[in-house]
Amino acid sequence: MNLTSAKKDLDDEELLQLLERARVNDSKAIGILCSHLYSKIYRFIYYRVNAVEDAEDLTSEVCFRVIKSIQNQKGSFYAWIFRIASNLINDHYRRRSVRSNVEPAGDLIEEMIDKGNKQNELLEQKELRQSLKKLTDEQQEVVVLKFIEGYETDEIADMLGKSSGAIRAIQFRALTALRNNFIKKEVD
Amino acid sequence: MEQDIELLLDNCINEMRNGKSIDECLAKYSQSATGGAGQLRPLLQLVQQLEILPKPEPAPEAISGTLINIGHHIAQRSMTSEKLTAVEKLQKKSSIFNIIRRPKIAWAFSAAFLFLVVLFSAATISANSVPGDILYPLKLATEKVKFLLTFNSEKKAELRLTFSDKRLQEMIAVFQQSGKLDTTLLKEMLDEAKLALEETKIPSDTASVFVTKLSHVNAYQKDVLEKIRPQVNLSSRKIVDEAINMCDMRGRWMRRMMNEENEISPDSSAPDSTGSPQQMPRSKQKSNRWQWGPGCDWMK
């Protein structure tokens, strides 16, 4: 079980220092910040879009927007970037109008199957990923931040501008919905 | 009830993150779960599955591509901000000259500049003019302005001397041109020399130097008048004689003053209108030390 795999690799102080330098156009700081953010944003987006290419494009766009507006950023930094990412994902779906009907590509899962991983487990993961996409935006955000990114409930509350109780409620409803989707598929 | 189960679920997830199994978590919270253990178990099993979902890592090419694009963007932004700074500086500079750029003000500035150039040229040309010339009044006006703009007593006295010398030169020029003596210029020449000493309060340390200079000017004027005298007509000759006589007396007074400055009361030795020393009460003697008398009133 990999419950603590996704951790922040920059502490708050380091992040603040990088932000200060990035705000005055320090290219080195911007480079470090982008490298650090890219993976986080990519994972956040990957589980909500259909293809690796889309995830990469959107992640690049988020990084771009972050750097463009970093001088005007106030409040929680991660909340800000995940809000930008969420907005971009929504725009992406609005443009394509394909959100609910298209089957997720599951590039990563298929890639792992090719590499000889346990097929049943990976197929379950593929189904789980498909079910994840049927959740509401809010539920998807919480699930990805909590179980993929590995953030604590309080941290997610801060990022999404909600109370911890609200995040716990969303988490509970998201897990229940995922479970129900699973059961439904098994019955089918 | 629902809030309890949400909290229990969250607590169980945290416990699992700390290494506990689902059974251990459910056992710990079995009393407060109030029958919710059955509801929590499948959710916690799902959490286990979610936690092992692959953590996709982006392709290094994608990261480097993004970094390159961002680098270009930063470079462009830096260039733009530099350009903006330069433009701002230019705008600040230009704002100083914006007033001048307005047509009316520009015209006024040009006109004023042209006027000053013309005035300066005319004043320079008029320096050699004599009475009767168009530019002569400008010459006199320039002298007056120059005198008014001079605030130092010594320099004012020097100017008076210069004016006196100029009147002499003008008188000679007029005499050479017309063969007639301009008595007005003669009067002004003597008056300026008188005023040179009267109108100014020269410091005592430079007074003797100035009096010496004045004495030389006076001697020169007397020489010129003596040279002119034989060439003027009879009516003018009398005036010239009187002027020579006055110069003579002034010269004597100045010589005596230079020799006996500390001993002789200057007021008692100051010449009157006829050149003889004036008699004054002792109380006024000091203040009128350099008094020469009424000057050239005899010419009026």
Side-chain angles (χ1 to χ4, degrees), chain A residues 24-37:
Chain A
V24 292
N25 265 0
D26 182 335
S27 51
K28 197 177 173 186
I30 289 173
I32 297 169
L33 196 63
C34 282
S35 307
H36 166 70
L37 290 179

Side-chain angles (χ1 to χ4, degrees), chain B residues 157-158 160-169 189-190 192-194 196 209-225 247 250-251 254 292:
Chain B
E158 292 277 356
R160 288 286 189 196
L161 271 184
T162 311
F163 297 157
S164 178
D165 187 54
K166 278 188 178 177
R167 297 298 88 80
L168 175 69
Q169 300 304 326
M189 178 194 84
L190 294 170
E192 289 289 356
K194 178 177 172 278
V209 179
F210 182 71
V211 172
T212 308
K213 205 184 279 181
L214 188 57
S215 174
H216 285 299
V217 171
N218 186 65
Y220 174 69
Q221 287 175 343
K222 189 190 160 194
D223 283 350
V224 171
L225 288 171
C247 290
R250 283 180 180 180
M254 281 187 280
W292 271 12

Side-chain angles (χ1 to χ4, degrees), chain A residues 1-5 25 30-31 34-35 38-39 42-43 46-47 56 60 63-64 67-68 71 108-109 112 121 124-125 128 143 146-148 150-153 165 168-169 171-172 175-176 178-179 182, chain B residues 2-3 5-7 9-11 13-21 39-40 42-43 45-59 62-63 65-67 69-70 73-74 77-78 81:
Chain A
M1 190 160 61
N2 186 16
L3 289 171
T4 55
S5 60
N25 265 0
I30 289 173
C34 282
S35 307
Y38 198 96
S39 303
Y42 179 79
R43 280 194 292 269
Y46 178 84
Y47 279 98
E56 284 176 352
S60 290
C63 287
F64 227 80
I67 298 306
K68 259 185 184 176
Q71 283 156 338
L108 188 71
I109 308 287
M112 291 176 87
E121 194 177 300
E124 266 184 21
Q125 284 180 357
L128 187 61
V143 168
K146 179 93 179 194
F147 304 110
I148 309 296
Y151 287 108
E152 300 293 335
T153 305
R168 277 194 288 270
Q171 177 182 258
F172 179 78
L175 289 173
T176 309
L178 272 177
R179 177 70 190 160
F182 251 35
Chain B
E2 196 165 276
Q3 278 184 353
I5 208 159
E6 287 163 5
L7 190 62
L9 176 68
D10 203 45
N11 287 340
I13 292 167
N14 290 338
E15 294 284 341
M16 285 163 71
R17 282 189 170 181
N18 291 328
K20 286 190 178 173
S21 66
Q39 197 181 352
L40 278 180
L43 296 181
Q45 284 169 342
L46 188 61
V47 166
Q48 277 184 327
Q49 282 184 299
L50 282 169
E51 293 276 8
I52 57 163
L53 272 178
K55 306 289 182 287
E57 284 300 325
I63 300 177
T66 305
L67 286 175
N69 286 337
I70 286 171
H73 171 73
I74 294 165
R77 194 161 68 179
S78 303
S81 64

Side-chain angles (χ1 to χ4, degrees), chain B residues 93-113:
Chain B
K93 274 187 184 175
S94 62
S95 66
I96 300 166
F97 295 105
N98 272 348
I99 301 167
I100 301 170
R101 280 181 187 173
R102 290 177 193 166
K104 282 183 182 174
I105 301 207
W107 186 88
F109 266 99
S110 308
F113 178 73

Side-chain angles (χ1 to χ4, degrees), chain B residues 231-269:
Chain B
Q231 298 170 43
V232 298
N233 58 31
L234 286 172
S235 58
S236 297
R237 193 170 295 172
K238 197 182 170 185
I239 296 166
V240 174
D241 284 341
E242 284 184 42
I244 291 168
N245 193 29
M246 179 175 272
C247 290
D248 203 25
M249 281 188 284
R250 283 180 180 180
R252 279 204 303 273
W253 175 79
M254 281 187 280
R255 275 196 299 278
R256 199 165 58 203
M257 205 178 80
M258 283 187 288
N259 292 333
E260 304 166 16
E261 194 180 355
N262 297 324
E263 296 167 11
I264 302 166
S265 169
D267 300 311
S268 60
S269 63

Side-chain angles (χ1 to χ4, degrees), chain B residues 73-86:
Chain B
H73 171 73
I74 294 165
Q76 275 183 342
R77 194 161 68 179
S78 303
M79 281 171 66
T80 314
S81 64
E82 277 171 18
K83 276 181 190 173
L84 274 173
T85 316

